[in-house]
Amino acid sequence: MACALPFGQFAMLLSELTIIYLATAAPFGVASFLRERTRGRRNLPTLFKAAGAALAWPFTSLSLLHKRAASRADRRRAGDEGSDPDEQRVERVKRAAVNALRAVEDSLADACLLKDVKERHTLFAARESIERYTGLALACASASAEARPSSREMELCRIAGRVGDDLLVAG
């Protein structure tokens, strides 16, 4: 026994599905339009291409996923995975520490315990210190003792009048 929908319910279901489909299509159309505009393409063809990408969003999404997977595979083959796992771990820990300090600041502010600007500045300085320290730690980890300083790194010392070995040591 088949369950048939009355025409009114079927029309309502169809209109709801159309709204959902178009609402999902909108970001794909906008992304396509903006991507073409940054490439310097003209307005009307760009608009038509974006409308086509929006209306065919299931295929557009598959195409984007395929391009992203190919890009990741190319990076893996080239050995450029973005950053070192240690760098990623340090970045995660830094982010967690900074977020914890922000949560403490929010809790203190909600409890009306932060009465002075100095107290807020103390928490800001703590977050800034964590960010500075992790940046310096990552820079030191990637530096080698045998590496020569770049000309950019020695510029201030050169302007100050240092020359020869003194310039290298200062750099």
Side-chain angles (χ1 to χ4, degrees):
M1 176 171 195
C3 181
L5 288 176
F7 182 73
Q9 286 180 342
F10 178 74
M12 185 68 150
L13 179 65
L14 187 61
S15 69
E16 289 172 354
L17 288 175
T18 303
I19 289 170
I20 292 170
Y21 185 86
L22 292 176
T24 307
F28 289 97
V30 170
S32 174
F33 181 78
L34 293 176
R35 190 172 37 253
E36 294 296 317
R37 287 290 301 262
T38 58
R39 293 179 185 161
R41 305 272 162 68
R42 292 190 344 225
N43 287 343
L44 195 58
T46 301
L47 188 61
F48 285 134
K49 189 171 182 178
L55 291 176
W57 70 264
F59 303 109
T60 304
S61 66
L62 290 175
S63 170
L64 291 173
L65 288 173
H66 177 68
K67 286 178 187 176
R68 184 176 291 171
S71 172
R72 283 186 183 155
D74 289 344
R75 277 186 289 181
R76 269 192 223 109
R77 264 186 258 125
D80 177 27
E81 195 53 46
S83 63
D84 189 26
D86 290 335
E87 283 183 36
Q88 292 174 357
R89 192 176 73 224
V90 167
E91 187 64 32
R92 278 195 308 269
V93 169
K94 177 186 85 165
R95 214 174 297 131
V98 168
N99 288 338
L101 282 173
R102 284 194 176 118
V104 167
E105 182 179 3
D106 291 343
S107 297
L108 290 174
D110 290 344
C112 298
L113 295 175
L114 288 179
K115 298 177 178 148
D116 194 4
V117 174
K118 253 190 224 179
E119 294 168 347
R120 283 192 182 271
H121 188 273
T122 303
L123 290 167
F124 174 77
R127 286 194 309 264
E128 191 177 59
S129 295
I130 289 171
E131 290 176 352
R132 193 177 322 120
Y133 176 77
T134 55
L136 288 172
L138 288 174
C140 288
S142 65
S144 74
E146 296 82 33
R148 295 180 53 95
S150 69
S151 59
R152 181 181 62 84
E153 292 171 329
M154 293 191 301
E155 186 65 22
L156 278 177
C157 301
R158 189 186 59 73
I159 291 171
R162 296 182 182 257
V163 291
D165 289 338
D166 189 36
L167 176 64
L168 287 176
V169 170

